[in-house]
Each structure stands twice: as C-alpha cells, then as structure tokens.
Amino acid sequence: MTEIFTGSFTQQEPIPQEGIEAAIAVLNHGRLHRYNVAEGEFSEAALLEQEFAAQTGAKYCVAVASGGYALACSLRAVGVQPGETVLTNAFTLAPVPGAIASIGAKPEFVGVTDELVIDLDDLEAKLGHAKVLMLSHMRGHLCDMDRLMQMCDAADVTVIEDCAHTMGAQWRGVPSGRQGAIGCYSMQTYKHVNSGEGGFLVTDDEEIAARAIILSGSYMLYERHLAAPDPEVFERVKYTTPNVSGRMDNIRAAILRPQLRDLETQVTRWNERYDVVEQGLSDTPGLKLVSRHPNARPVGSSIQFLLLDWSPKAVNAVISRCAARGVELKWFGGAEPAGFTSRYDSWRYTEAERMPASDRILTGIVDMRLPLTFSLDDCALIARIIRAEVGAVWQQHSV
C-alpha cells in the first residue's frame, strides 16, 4: 500500500495557556499601547525586551512590529544613507533586500555555497563595495562566523545579522545574532516563537540602541524601556533621529514571553525532527543533503536538500509526486517567484550581476517546513515518501 501523509505543513502548536491568560489580562485592562502604563507598572513589551536581552546576553533590545521592520530600523540606526550599497546574501527571503531598498539603499548580492551559506570568498572580493553587510542566516544555516567577522572587522564593515531562522541557534555556544553589531529576529507565525508578526533587534552599542528606540516610535518616552541606554545617550541623538513608528504592542508581548522561556525545549524538539528526516534521506541517489558547520548549533525548523543539475522537469516531477502523497515541498529554482521562494533575480527593483556558480546551487534547492505539530513518526514517514519519489524520478528521467 502506498503511504500517504495527511498532516498540515502550516499548522502551528497552540499558544501556551500562560500567554493566553496574559493577553486576556492586557485586554481586560485595555492598555495595549506599550507606553500606556499605570503608576509603577512596566509594560509587557518592556518586560519582553528585558527578558530577551538577558536571554541573548545583549545589553539592549528593542521589540518592534516585524522582523522586516527590525532590519530596516537597524540600517537606519547604523547610518546607511539613500544611494549607498549594502551587501547581502543572494540566497535569502524577499524582506532582506526589501529592507535595504525601503530606505533607498542598493543591495549588492553575495554568492551562496552548497552548504547554503554566504560564499566567504565572494564576500571578501566585495567588501570594499559597502560599509554594511546584512547577513542572512537563511533557513538556519550558519557560515563560519569567525572568518566572516575577522574579514568584516578588518574591512571596517558593520555586520547586521538577520536571525529570522536562527532564534535559539548558537555559534560556539553564543546565541546567533551576537556576533555582529546588531541581531534581528522575527516572531512571525512560521518562526521559532509566534505572535503572528513581531520583531526584535539586539545590540551592545548604546547609540545604535537609542536611535533604534526613537526610530521605532518612542517619542520622548524612552525611559519606559528596561533594556535601553541611559537617558544622556538619548540626549545625543533625539533631535537628529526620525520617528518611523513600528512599535510592538502589549498583547503580542504577553503572548511571546512564555514562549521565549520555553525556547530551548523547542529547539531540542525541532532538532529531533530534523535528525529523523535527515537520517531518512541519507544516501538517496541524486539527492545531496546540506552539511552543517561543526561550530554551529542550528534550529531544524525546516530542512533543505539539493537536486543539483536536475532538469526543471525532473524537479517538478519530484515536487508533484510528493504533493500527491501529502508532502509539501518548495523549490527555489523556478523561473517565477512562488510563495516565499523568490531569488535575487526576482527582485527587479535592483540591478544584479549574474552569478553562475550560485545560480547552479539556487536552482537545486528544495525546501520543507518541519512544524512541531509533526511527530517523529510523521517525520520518518515524510522522509520515506521523499526518498521513494526522488528515487523513482531519478530512475525514470535523464536529470
């Protein structure tokens, strides 16, 4: 009998009861705006920032409306000006170059390796083109952060880390997002904690933090933050920093606080699921698994594999055959964007030189979510289905 998977690739776990009760408490008192506090009260948003700063070991944290807002806010906070170039990954999601374009800057793309990380040799060749690198840890893959930071520090290039897929991940035991000047995170539904939308940025730089808080829409209420610089730092920047409002509200903050406290447990659960799928796909003819750097502790909330040098017809056959058996795969090799699978050549608001070596990798990337609603048995079944369908197409098609 042919095995079929009947689960949903988009169904998340429920919000913890503690978060639901905290959100109801906010609704009952009506102080949803983060700066609307009672006498002696700290808002849910301020407490959330304090807790995430402590969790990551950062001095400062700002909670904002989305991960994309955190990226654009970070670019403004480090002083990127319209017309300037910002380096970023060729393999990333649209909000990353979108954040660069949103402030009038120009993305310049850096290649991708078969480990799905930024090509450090290509980066080294391009470091003289920009003062800022927006580094995307796309789909949770961490490059050699020691080499990257040495290169960028030597070139005086500021690193902003896009950690939308690496909240809870580590490099040499240090939380992802703490190597660069700023770490940015997302709390969108498909990320590692879920408030529908939401974002963080963390930093140890007091002026960056002060500018980010004012940019986020604090007006002159910055003393109501708990993970913020001293008031005199704001005095230095408050008259020259625009308000580009993008605050987080107290309902989302209330929902997030218990999820963050449970993040380490969730990381373990994701990695268990990833390991089951990876083991099930190992040694599949025609399929290349993506290796991880030994110094990285990833979060396996999605898995990617490569069908390198396969024809589009053959790749589409794999995707269609898996879909018929209930397994939802995404492909980054399509000529047109589909869902989140756009590529650097899809973003035609900016000019981009072709990168043949990276194009070969991008054309072969197949992606799959691993929500925590999947059991380990589900993951083993999914791996069997993919393995069978890749094998069938491998045998039938001239790839």
Side-chain angles (χ1 to χ4, degrees):
M1 179 180 292
T2 301
E3 292 182 300
I4 302 291
F5 179 65
T6 58
S8 170
F9 282 80
T10 58
Q11 180 59 54
Q12 307 305 303
E13 292 192 303
I15 299 299
Q17 188 60 35
E18 183 183 354
I20 294 171
E21 292 171 0
I24 290 172
V26 172
L27 290 171
N28 281 332
H29 65 56
R31 296 187 292 279
L32 279 64
H33 183 56
R34 67 163 299 159
Y35 298 121
N36 179 204
V37 293
E39 182 87 25
E41 179 186 46
F42 293 113
S43 71
E44 290 284 342
L47 292 166
L48 175 71
E49 290 167 337
Q50 183 183 57
E51 290 161 4
F52 192 66
Q55 192 166 338
T56 56
K59 290 182 179 179
Y60 312 114
C61 175
V62 187
V64 294
S66 71
Y69 182 92
L71 295 173
C73 184
S74 296
L75 290 167
R76 290 187 173 99
V78 300
V80 175
Q81 297 298 309
E84 291 184 350
T85 296
V86 175
L87 298 173
T88 195
N89 307 54
F91 179 45
T92 187
L93 294 186
V96 177
I100 297 168
S102 76
I103 66 165
K106 299 182 296 185
E108 180 175 347
F109 297 107
V110 182
V112 61
T113 73
D114 63 3
E115 294 179 340
L116 304 193
V117 297
I118 195 167
D119 184 331
L120 294 180
D121 293 333
D122 191 33
L123 174 63
E124 190 167 34
K126 293 174 178 175
L127 279 175
H129 300 178
K131 296 184 290 186
V132 173
L133 165 67
M134 181 162 277
L135 173 66
S136 178
H137 301 306
M138 176 65 167
R139 304 314 265 166
H141 298 281
L142 292 166
C143 72
D144 184 339
M145 290 300 296
D146 295 339
R147 182 183 169 196
L148 180 137
M149 290 307 304
Q150 289 168 0
M151 289 165 47
C152 290
D153 288 346
D156 198 25
V157 169
T158 299
V159 177
I160 298 170
E161 295 182 69
D162 165 32
C163 304
H165 301 159
T166 54
M167 179 184 281
Q170 297 176 356
W171 174 263
R172 292 187 182 273
V174 176
S176 177
R178 299 295 293 119
Q179 281 75 35
I182 305 175
C184 298
Y185 307 81
S186 172
M187 285 82 85
Q188 186 248 33
T189 287
Y190 298 120
K191 304 305 190 292
H192 298 161
V193 292
N194 174 16
S195 59
E197 290 288 355
F200 285 129
L201 65 88
V202 299
T203 184
D204 287 345
D205 186 295
E206 62 183 15
E207 288 207 358
I208 289 175
R211 285 193 288 269
I213 288 169
I214 292 174
L215 280 160
S216 74
S218 69
Y219 297 93
M220 296 298 117
L221 302 173
Y222 40 77
E223 77 282 357
R224 299 184 190 180
H225 286 250
L226 293 172
D230 292 333
E232 57 265 25
V233 183
F234 290 90
E235 292 299 315
R236 299 201 297 265
V237 302
K238 69 181 185 181
Y239 294 117
T240 56
T241 304
N243 179 325
V244 187
S245 292
R247 297 172 293 267
M248 175 170 284
D249 59 79
N250 284 327
I251 290 181
R252 283 183 287 179
I255 290 169
L256 287 167
R257 291 177 64 202
Q259 293 183 63
L260 283 174
R261 289 194 286 270
D262 204 32
L263 180 59
E264 192 64 23
T265 298
Q266 303 296 72
V267 169
T268 299
R269 295 177 63 211
W270 262 307
N271 287 342
E272 288 171 347
R273 284 149 180 78
Y274 185 99
D275 290 346
V276 169
V277 177
E278 183 180 53
Q279 183 176 356
L281 295 179
S282 63
D283 300 320
T284 300
L287 182 152
K288 177 179 173 57
L289 291 168
V290 179
S291 62
R292 305 274 196 168
H293 197 287
N295 292 333
R297 196 282 297 270
V299 183
S301 56
S302 68
I303 189 166
Q304 295 72 45
F305 56 86
L306 292 166
L307 301 178
L308 283 177
D309 303 320
W310 285 46
S311 68
K313 180 181 177 181
V315 176
N316 276 315
V318 168
I319 293 170
S320 296
R321 291 172 67 113
C322 287
R325 296 179 63 181
V327 175
E328 184 178 311
L329 303 176
K330 304 295 183 182
W331 180 40
F332 279 87
E336 290 295 323
F340 59 81
T341 60
S342 56
R343 316 182 313 181
Y344 78 94
D345 53 357
S346 305
W347 306 317
R348 296 173 192 170
Y349 49 79
T350 187
E351 295 181 6
E353 294 184 2
R354 301 302 314 188
M355 293 180 282
S358 292
D359 290 342
R360 175 175 177 258
I361 303 299
L362 291 167
T363 300
I365 298 171
V366 179
D367 179 282
M368 185 179 75
R369 288 190 180 113
L370 286 173
L372 290 176
T373 47
F374 289 178
S375 69
L376 297 183
D377 287 342
D378 289 337
C379 292
L381 169 58
I382 288 165
R384 290 196 300 272
I385 291 171
I386 296 172
R387 184 184 186 92
E389 297 308 332
V390 168
V393 176
W394 175 258
Q395 291 175 1
Q396 293 174 12
H397 289 253
S398 174
V399 299

